[in-house]
Amino acid sequence: MTSILTSLSTTKSFGGWIKRYKHHSTSLKCDMVFAIYLPPQAETRTVPVLWWLSGLTCTDENFMQKAGAQRMAAALGIAIVCPDTSPRGLNLPGEHDSYDFGSGAGFYVNATQAPWAEHYRMYDYLTSELPELIKTHFPVNGRESISGHSMGGHGALVLALRQPGRFASVSAFAPIANPSQCPWGQKAFTGYLGDDRSTWQQYDSCALIANSTSTQELFIDQGDADEFLAPQLGADALRAACAQSGQPLIYRTRTGYDHGYFFIASFIDEHLQYHASHLYPAIASD
């Protein structure tokens, strides 16, 4: 049964449209909101999709309002889909007690521990339910790339590494690349997945790279003034895992940039151009 979409807002931007919708998710058993930018080319033909996964505390609105991506997406003819970062409105015990667990912090996993297992199934939502909904309701052509920031960068890498060949390209800004070894990840994985750390490996990019046969290039931007770089992000572990396994990696250190959206806005055009070259090689000349 196709999910019914309720329109929340429609805003024109660079000849295209930013649209927000609410729908009931069968995966998460709650209402969810997502945003989509449809470039002007979508008025006359189908277009490829870039999935953007956001970080801790974010909703679908952060990227659409702060990244400044619409101008380049319109020029390139790429739709951008921004899901939320967790289920909402459930009021589970402890769900709203901290910024790095529960509401706004789904970590893109399928939880196995009570009370989270019934609703916190963001991996299923993003790999199956929401893509099918986008395919059903919008003029997209089946070509997909994925990107994200921080917790969303973790999600983008995990989704791509676990589904080789699905995404034409993958990139991330300051991803949590080794969550099994950092406080944010350890807290989330213990709560959602339990104490058996072997179960964590399916959601840890470094572990997936070490055991993967994927040859897909990873494209990472990281600011060297990021306050979370050493304690949370695992950048050195990511580079070491790629070097050891032969995983292709473009890793760029951005001098003076921190963890925030000014960093993302500074380089989002380069990421969009990178994805366009994989999604639709002739798109820049349309």
Side-chain angles (χ1 to χ4, degrees), residues 94-109:
E95 187 177 28
H96 311 303
D97 289 354
S98 60
Y99 78 95
D100 55 356
F101 184 80
S103 184
F107 264 84
Y108 306 106
V109 305

Side-chain angles (χ1 to χ4, degrees), residues 112-243:
T112 60
Q113 304 299 299
W116 315 101
E118 186 175 3
H119 299 282
Y120 275 64
R121 304 189 62 80
M122 290 296 291
Y123 185 86
D124 281 355
Y125 178 65
L126 290 174
T127 56
S128 180
E129 182 180 1
L130 189 56
E132 186 62 30
L133 187 151
I134 296 298
K135 177 182 176 181
T136 299
H137 290 279
F138 300 99
V140 297
N141 64 14
R143 294 282 287 168
E144 302 174 283
S145 289
I146 193 165
S147 187
H149 170 232
S150 193
M151 180 185 72
H154 143 76
L157 294 176
V158 167
L159 265 64
L161 289 166
R162 287 184 58 172
Q163 301 172 95
R166 173 166 181 171
F167 299 102
S169 51
V170 55
S171 74
F173 289 81
I176 304 172
N178 196 194
S180 296
Q181 302 300 319
C182 77
W184 279 340
Q186 290 168 352
K187 179 177 180 178
F189 287 0
T190 300
Y192 296 137
L193 305 174
D195 294 326
D196 181 359
R197 294 195 173 207
S198 67
T199 67
W200 300 5
Q201 303 307 296
Q202 63 187 313
Y203 299 110
D204 187 299
S205 295
C206 290
L208 291 169
I209 289 167
N211 295 294
S212 175
T213 58
S214 170
T215 59
Q216 184 171 48
E217 184 176 79
L218 309 179
F219 177 26
I220 309 295
D221 263 325
Q222 175 63 61
D224 69 358
D226 188 326
E227 65 270 37
F228 302 115
L229 179 55
Q232 301 284 9
L233 301 183
D236 289 343
L238 174 68
R239 286 185 285 186
C242 288

